[in-house]
């Protein structure tokens, strides 16, 4: 059987749907041998790569406040700090390096100076996840090896090419934005988030073409920043995962 790789895309709080997809994958006895993630996909992928079950990741996700206004900063580079994301990684995984993962793992970020795609496949997991989830204009960029890194959704929101480069022969991608509809923004954060995701959607159409199986949950009724929806998002991901994974593998 071909070696399966899983690519988890970005989408802020919508990323809770990834957890439901993982539940469906486990129930279908699909063994994931490579995993990649962008933005919230990197957050989920990191835990799965280090052996956390979907139930454990669910419990961790319930601790997460994606847009935490209590983390306002005075930085000229962003409105908020996403340090809480790094803290959750360290709390549940310890000070681990990416190369120590049980499943080969890579996360995608972008260089804020050049727009270059940065594949993070070694070094501290917490730093890499913070870099991949640093939405420009909202979160302060992460600094790794002298570079300022921001959310990888700019360059590769569904990191299918990245998991293929790891060695995956059969690629399962999860696109959180394919069936999403946008509501009228309520505030500046909504304006930034919508604009950012418009860019990602157009690029993802080309990147997802090489997936062997593309899971596209219907998340049209969900908000990208409301963490009270996490349980329902997990159920939506599970429904979509079960539906798509019942196709011949």
């Amino acid at each position: 059987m071909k070696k399966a790789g899983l690519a988890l895309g970005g989408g802020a709080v919508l990323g809770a749907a990834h957890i439901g997809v993982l539940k469906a994958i486990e129930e279908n006895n699909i063994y994931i041998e490579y995993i990649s993630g962008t933005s919230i996909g990197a957050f989920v992928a990191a835990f799965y790569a280090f052996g956390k079950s979907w139930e454990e990741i669910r419990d961790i996700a319930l601790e997460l406040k994606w847009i935490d206004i209590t983390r306002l900063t005075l930085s000229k580079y962003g409105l908020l700090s996403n340090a809480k994301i790094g803290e959750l990684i360290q709390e549940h995984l310890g000070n681990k390096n990416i190369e120590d993962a049980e499943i080969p793992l890579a996360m995608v970020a972008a260089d804020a100076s050049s727009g270059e795609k940065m594949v993070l496949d070694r070094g501290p997991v917490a730093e890499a996840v913070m870099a991949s989830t640093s939405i420009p204009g909202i979160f302060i960029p992460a600094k790794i090896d002298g570079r300022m890194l921001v959310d990888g959704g700019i360059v590769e929101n569904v990191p299918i090419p990245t998991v293929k480069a790891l060695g995956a022969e059969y690629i399962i991608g999860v696109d959180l934005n394919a069936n999403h509809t946008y509501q009228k923004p309520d505030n500046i954060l909504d304006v930034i988030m919508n604009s950012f995701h418009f860019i990602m959607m157009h690029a993802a159409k080309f990147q997802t073409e090489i997936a062997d199986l593309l899971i596209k949950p219907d998340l049209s009724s969900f908000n990208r920043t409301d963490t009270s929806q996490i349980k329902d998002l997990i159920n939506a991901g599970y429904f979509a995962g079960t539906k798509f994974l019942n196709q011949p593998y």
Side-chain angles (χ1 to χ4, degrees):
M1 184 175 287
K2 294 181 177 179
K3 294 181 178 180
L6 180 62
L8 302 180
V13 170
L14 302 182
H18 288 318
I19 302 168
V21 172
L22 291 176
K23 178 183 179 182
I25 285 172
E26 291 183 12
E27 288 186 356
N28 280 271
N29 298 311
I30 296 173
Y31 179 63
I32 299 300
E33 297 194 55
Y34 303 94
I35 191 166
S36 62
T38 297
S39 197
I40 191 64
F43 179 81
V44 176
F47 287 114
Y48 199 69
F50 278 88
K52 296 292 185 183
S53 66
W54 76 266
E55 293 101 332
E56 291 174 299
I57 301 172
R58 173 199 61 200
D59 293 342
I60 294 166
L62 290 171
E63 301 177 47
L64 178 63
K65 290 184 178 180
W66 184 255
I67 303 295
D68 187 350
I69 60 173
T70 66
R71 300 257 171 173
L72 281 169
T73 75
L74 297 177
S75 171
K76 62 183 179 181
Y77 295 116
L79 297 172
L80 305 169
S81 166
N82 67 347
K84 177 63 176 176
I85 292 173
E87 290 166 8
L88 282 174
I89 296 289
Q90 290 185 320
E91 177 184 345
H92 294 281
L93 296 183
N95 294 314
K96 295 291 181 67
N97 285 336
I98 299 169
E99 54 267 39
D100 299 326
E102 296 175 21
I103 301 172
L105 166 68
M107 292 169 274
V108 176
D111 188 310
S113 298
S114 65
E116 179 185 357
K117 171 184 168 180
M118 302 297 299
V119 176
L120 306 174
D121 56 6
R122 58 188 60 253
V125 179
E127 287 184 7
V129 173
M130 288 177 65
S132 188
T133 56
S134 293
I135 300 170
I138 294 182
F139 292 127
I140 303 169
K143 293 182 180 179
I144 297 179
D145 295 334
R147 293 176 180 257
M148 291 180 66
L149 302 184
V150 294
D151 194 304
I154 292 173
V155 288
E156 192 174 279
N157 193 48
V158 186
I160 290 167
T162 297
V163 80
K164 183 177 181 180
L166 282 176
E169 298 168 331
Y170 183 91
I171 300 172
I172 302 169
V174 185
D175 187 348
L176 303 175
N177 300 298
N179 293 320
H180 190 69
T181 56
Y182 292 83
Q183 307 299 323
K184 181 181 177 181
D186 290 327
N187 51 54
I188 186 174
L189 295 180
D190 284 347
V191 172
I192 295 173
M193 293 286 284
N194 278 4
S195 301
F196 180 64
H197 286 96
F198 292 148
I199 296 170
M200 294 195 306
M201 281 174 60
H202 291 297
K205 289 180 181 179
F206 300 100
Q207 295 161 0
T208 55
E209 288 178 353
I210 63 171
D212 295 288
L213 178 64
L214 185 63
I215 297 173
K216 300 181 289 185
D218 182 0
L219 307 178
S220 55
S221 63
F222 295 97
N223 181 286
R224 295 177 182 279
T225 58
D226 184 359
T227 52
S228 69
Q229 311 165 106
I230 284 179
K231 290 182 179 179
D232 290 334
L233 281 162
I234 292 172
N235 289 334
Y238 176 68
F239 177 81
T242 301
K243 174 184 174 182
F244 281 91
L245 290 169
N246 281 334
Q247 300 174 17
Y249 172 60

